[in-house]
Structures are given as C-alpha cells and as structure tokens.
Amino acid sequence: MAVSGNLLERLNASSTPYVDPLAALQWEHVATDAWWLPPEALSLAGVAAFERLPERARRRLSHHEFALVLETGLWLESLFMERFARASGAEPDPLLRARYLHEVREEAGHSLMFLELLGRSGVRIPAPAQPRSALATTVGRLLPFRGAVFWTLTVIGEELGDSLTRMIPRSVEQATVSAVVYHMARLHAREEARHIAHTRAACAEAVRRMPGWRRAALSPLIGLAFSGFADRLYYPQRAVYLAAGLPGEVDWRALARANPVRRRCVAQAAAPTLDFLRGLGWSVRLAG
Ligand SMILES: [Fe+2]
Ligand SMILES: [Fe+2]
C-alpha cells in the first residue's frame, strides 16, 4: 500500500472526533424554496428555453440534479463500504484496518444524510435515470482490492461523483443555496478530500506496479468507464427533467449536451481527475 504509516496515522487522527451528519445538520430547515445547486451548476444554465421558465421551475431542476448526485453517491458509497468492510477483515495491519473502518463509518454517515434529505423533501429520481448499472456494480464487487483497475475506478467514482457538490462551497451564489444543502456539501467535501488523498495514493502505486502492456490493453476500458459515467452523471436522462416538472415536448438532454455553459462547467469539474489519470498513463477523456 502506498500510504506510509505516518500519513495513515495522520489520516486516522483527522477522522476524529467523528461528526455524525445526522446530528450535525439542522434537518428542520430542509427547504425546497431554495436552490440546491448553484444556478450556474445546472445542466441547462444559460439555455434560453430554460432560463425563460419561472424561477420556481428552475429551482426544482436544481433539486432533481442534486438528488441525482445523491443517488449516485448512495450507489457508489454502498460499494465502497462493502469493499472496505471486507478489506478491513482481511487486513493484518491495525492502522490500515482502522483507516478502512473510519471510511466505512464516514460513508455510512454520508449515505444516511443523503437519504434524510431525499426522504424529508420527497424529491425522487426514477430508477432507470440513475447512473447505477448492474454491470458496474458486479465489476466493482469482484475486482481485486489491491489492483490498479479497482483503484482507478474508485478514483473516477469518488472524484467525479462529488465534483458538482464541491462547486457549492465555492459558488458566488452560495447565499441562495439552501443552508442544509450547503452544510451537507461542506461536510462531504471535507471528508472526501481525505478519502481522495488515500485513493489517489493507492491508485498511483497500483498503476505503477502494473506492466506497461497491461495498462495499454486496459486503457480503452478505463476510457469507456470514465466517459460513460461522466455522461450519465453530468447530462441527466430525460426522466430527470420530467420528474422535475419540465415540459415533456422539449428534448432537454439534447439541449444540455449542446450547451456550451454546461460543457465548460463539466470540463472544469472533471479536469483534476483527467489530469491525474493521464499522469498515470491512462487515456481518458470526456465524450465529444
Ligand atoms: Fe462520501
Ligand atoms: Fe468517500
């Protein structure tokens, strides 16, 4: 494992005292009359047909696009928790076991706060519009825990999955974002920064260990996983727009995919992950 004992000790120490998100957030303030993602982080930001709609309708899309991020998080975190729980049982090094268990506890806290927001608000994403796939779930369960492919997919899931949420604390519009969502995003970003530091270190070590011919052979598959996941995450399916109450006669997904504001936002959100993976020799890009 690439993470030195010293860094692990620091990572473990910074996981305490543990903050329980269910206790820390003020759930009575869940508001659907506020934005959940900053307006500029929506897939239809700047699209004339969308900007003409009343603010209430545009805010409702922010609830559904944020809910899509949360549903993605619920799926990925359930896989991470499964893998880290299994790994901690098989790991002889007590520091690493503790790290894995800290991560299980933190991901459980995240998933519980995602569920709480969805449950209290009643905002739902229809199952077929969620980015989870049975194939990816099976692959995520079966890949060897110490392998380069497992850690590379974990980097993709962890970093892209959270990249839109990370725009909330940075947004100039933060005063307009719902307070519960804002605190949720900050808490998640802080803990994920730690997870990502560990995941990147493990990924870099595993990729460097792998023979060059193997990396070249697997690179197209990693490229497909990256662009396919990014497309489903950043460009919602039609059912998401319908669930948000947008008029059904417009092809909103096509408008989002052609939207230059969105393409810039996605390029910015995905850039750190693209740079990191390319630096390791993976050939990855966003779909054209
Ligand atoms: Fe998380
Ligand atoms: Fe995480």
Side-chain angles (χ1 to χ4, degrees):
M1 185 62 53
V3 185
S4 69
N6 214 346
L7 175 57
L8 267 175
E9 274 168 34
R10 278 189 281 125
L11 285 167
N12 280 337
S14 59
S15 299
T16 49
Y18 174 66
V19 178
D20 175 6
L22 284 185
L25 295 186
Q26 298 194 307
W27 295 105
E28 63 279 15
H29 294 146
V30 168
T32 48
D33 58 354
W35 296 85
W36 284 10
L37 278 173
E40 70 273 14
L42 295 186
S43 63
L44 296 171
V47 171
F50 176 68
E51 299 292 355
R52 273 198 302 271
L53 297 173
E55 182 169 322
R56 218 160 56 90
R58 287 181 283 125
R59 275 203 313 252
R60 212 162 43 225
L61 183 65
S62 81
H63 308 155
H64 286 79
E65 290 198 359
F66 189 64
L68 181 65
V69 172
L70 300 189
E71 285 290 359
T72 309
L74 283 164
W75 169 50
L76 293 173
E77 290 184 346
S78 73
L79 277 172
F80 297 153
M81 283 187 279
E82 185 182 325
R83 296 307 310 258
F84 281 106
R86 269 159 56 194
S88 79
E91 177 57 60
D93 178 347
L95 269 173
L96 267 178
R97 290 188 83 173
R99 217 217 71 79
Y100 296 154
L101 292 174
H102 278 303
E103 186 147 340
V104 170
R105 177 168 70 169
E106 287 169 0
E107 297 295 24
H110 301 163
S111 288
L112 285 166
M113 76 177 168
F114 298 165
L115 279 177
E116 189 75 17
L117 181 71
L118 294 172
R120 282 182 184 257
S121 64
V123 176
R124 294 277 178 276
I125 298 299
Q130 295 173 13
R132 66 176 74 210
S133 91
L135 175 66
T137 303
T138 306
V139 169
R141 281 201 175 124
L142 296 180
L143 281 170
F145 185 72
R146 294 188 184 278
V149 175
F150 173 78
W151 286 109
T152 301
L153 294 180
T154 303
V155 166
I156 295 171
E158 209 156 43
E159 296 197 13
L160 296 193
D162 200 38
S163 59
L164 290 172
T165 317
R166 281 200 302 273
M167 290 184 171
I168 295 176
R170 286 205 303 263
S171 166
V172 287
E173 303 274 356
Q174 66 182 237
T176 64
V177 171
S178 157
V180 169
V181 169
Y182 178 75
H183 287 120
M184 178 185 280
R186 279 193 43 171
L187 198 153
H188 197 242
R190 193 171 60 229
E191 293 186 345
E192 286 305 323
R194 235 184 306 112
H195 297 178
I196 286 168
H198 170 261
T199 303
R200 279 190 171 207
C203 179
E205 195 203 71
V207 173
R208 279 191 202 112
R209 260 200 327 254
M210 112 192 282
W213 64 266
R214 217 165 156 245
R215 192 179 55 209
L218 287 167
S219 202
L221 285 175
I222 296 294
L224 277 178
F226 186 97
S227 59
F229 178 60
D231 186 65
R232 283 184 76 86
L233 178 70
Y234 295 130
Y235 298 102
Q237 301 292 307
R238 174 180 153 77
V240 175
Y241 298 108
L242 294 183
L246 265 57
E249 62 275 16
V250 180
D251 187 348
W252 297 105
R253 180 170 154 83
L255 289 177
R257 296 191 87 240
N259 178 12
V261 176
R262 182 56 165 185
R263 296 182 81 86
R264 269 200 303 280
C265 169
V266 167
Q268 191 192 338
T273 315
L274 280 168
D275 288 349
F276 173 72
L277 294 176
R278 285 174 182 155
L280 294 180
W282 294 121
S283 146
V284 281
R285 62 184 184 85
L286 292 162

